Amino acid sequence: MNIKVHVDAKGLACPMPIVRAKKALDGLESGELMEVVTTDKGSLNDFQAWVNQSNNEMVKQETVDGLFTFVIRKG
Amino acid sequence: MEKEKTTIVLFSGDLDKAIAAFIIANGAAAYDHEVTIFFTFWGLNTLRKDELVPVKKGLLEKAFGWMMPRGSSKLGLSKMNMLGMGPKMIKHVMKKHNALSLPQLIELAQEQGVKLVACTMTMDLLGLKEEELIDGLTYAGVAAYLGDASDAKVNLFI
């Protein structure tokens, strides 16, 4: 997977993970991938809702040891 | 594509309520919404500069100015304020959990292009002048707010 930008939002509280992700996504072209890693427990539902509300797409979601990883394709 | 809109009326001047308003505003901005926060009555205190700004005022307006909190770092809690102990405790806990402070949330909102609108009518009532409020605000009344609110899907009164 060719990930264009990585966003490290570990340790950040709501609403920062989404704010950081949005900023990073703004810099991408349509079709490019972004990976976001968070530790905030709410971010699982947050990122799902956020992706559903846009024309972006959740390519992968993984939870390992309290680390949430999301790979999102810009729409 | 036309952007979605979100508006919030911040009527309260409590720290906890202002934090909630700014977290929602920043979240909505991350959703790429056009966000407006309309500050009226006690909510206006959130926008005050923390330093004393010398402006010409009447006695009553001066008294109001002295009695109301000067800026976002001076607000009290709506519950468990305990003469100012409560806000100190909540700020400590927020720092521990890596949550942004209210002044940081305001700065982030401005950076994200959230429109901060001060209600000029209540500014007059409370004797607040433009010079006493932070930079980057829009000054307007209820009609401007309703203009934004009528085509927004999310409208909150806090």
Side-chain angles (χ1 to χ4, degrees):
Chain A
M1 238 183 327
N2 185 15
I3 290 167
K4 191 86 181 176
V5 64
H6 294 264
V7 179
D8 179 4
K10 291 195 286 285
L12 297 180
C14 173
M16 283 317 286
I18 290 280
V19 171
R20 289 272 174 88
K22 197 252 174 191
K23 266 187 200 160
L25 204 67
D26 281 346
L28 294 187
E29 302 286 333
S30 172
E32 289 181 329
L33 296 178
M34 164 179 75
E35 183 190 68
V36 188
V37 183
T38 69
T39 50
D40 174 34
K41 286 186 204 74
S43 55
L44 204 55
N45 281 320
D46 273 3
F47 274 88
Q48 199 60 61
W50 182 65
V51 168
N52 287 346
Q53 271 287 310
S54 61
N55 49 2
N56 308 312
E57 181 198 348
M58 185 77 77
V59 179
K60 196 177 122 192
Q61 198 283 308
E62 208 174 60
T63 308
V64 183
D65 292 336
L67 279 187
F68 304 102
T69 306
F70 307 92
V71 178
I72 294 163
R73 180 181 286 118
K74 181 163 177 163
Chain B
M1 199 174 71
E2 178 93 335
K3 280 193 177 184
E4 298 265 0
K5 286 188 180 177
T6 289
T7 78
I8 298 170
V9 176
L10 184 59
F11 177 92
S12 319
D14 302 311
L15 176 65
D16 38 5
K17 295 184 186 183
I19 289 172
F22 272 94
I23 288 180
I24 297 168
N26 277 305
Y31 259 78
D32 218 17
H33 290 189
E34 251 181 66
V35 189
T36 301
I37 311 179
F38 186 74
F39 297 82
T40 187
F41 275 92
W42 317 114
L44 283 168
N45 289 320
T46 317
L47 301 176
R48 288 178 83 184
K49 289 176 183 159
D50 53 10
E51 78 263 19
L52 184 64
V53 182
V55 279
K56 261 207 155 123
K57 283 190 195 187
L59 193 65
L60 213 57
E61 294 173 319
K62 260 189 194 153
F64 261 96
W66 280 110
M67 286 185 293
M68 298 187 301
R70 202 182 291 134
S72 57
S73 53
K74 306 271 169 55
L75 303 182
L77 284 177
S78 66
K79 295 260 157 49
M80 306 205 310
N81 192 49
M82 301 179 289
L83 304 168
M85 275 291 288
K88 285 211 175 80
M89 282 156 59
I90 206 99
K91 282 173 196 172
H92 176 79
V93 173
M94 284 172 69
K95 213 175 203 170
K96 206 173 99 186
H97 287 273
N98 239 339
L100 294 188
S101 68
L102 182 57
Q104 287 171 322
L105 283 165
I106 296 173
E107 206 185 304
L108 181 67
Q110 289 192 300
E111 211 182 284
Q112 292 208 88
V114 172
K115 195 164 91 181
L116 306 179
V117 184
C119 166
T120 48
M121 193 277 274
T122 37
M123 279 172 68
D124 286 345
L125 292 185
L126 302 176
L128 293 170
K129 308 271 186 239
E130 284 188 25
E131 300 90 294
E132 295 177 87
L133 304 183
I134 59 171
D135 295 331
L137 304 181
T138 305
Y139 295 91
V142 67
Y145 168 71
L146 288 170
D148 286 330
S150 51
D151 28 69
K153 281 190 193 147
V154 182
N155 297 301
L156 303 173
F157 185 94
I158 300 178

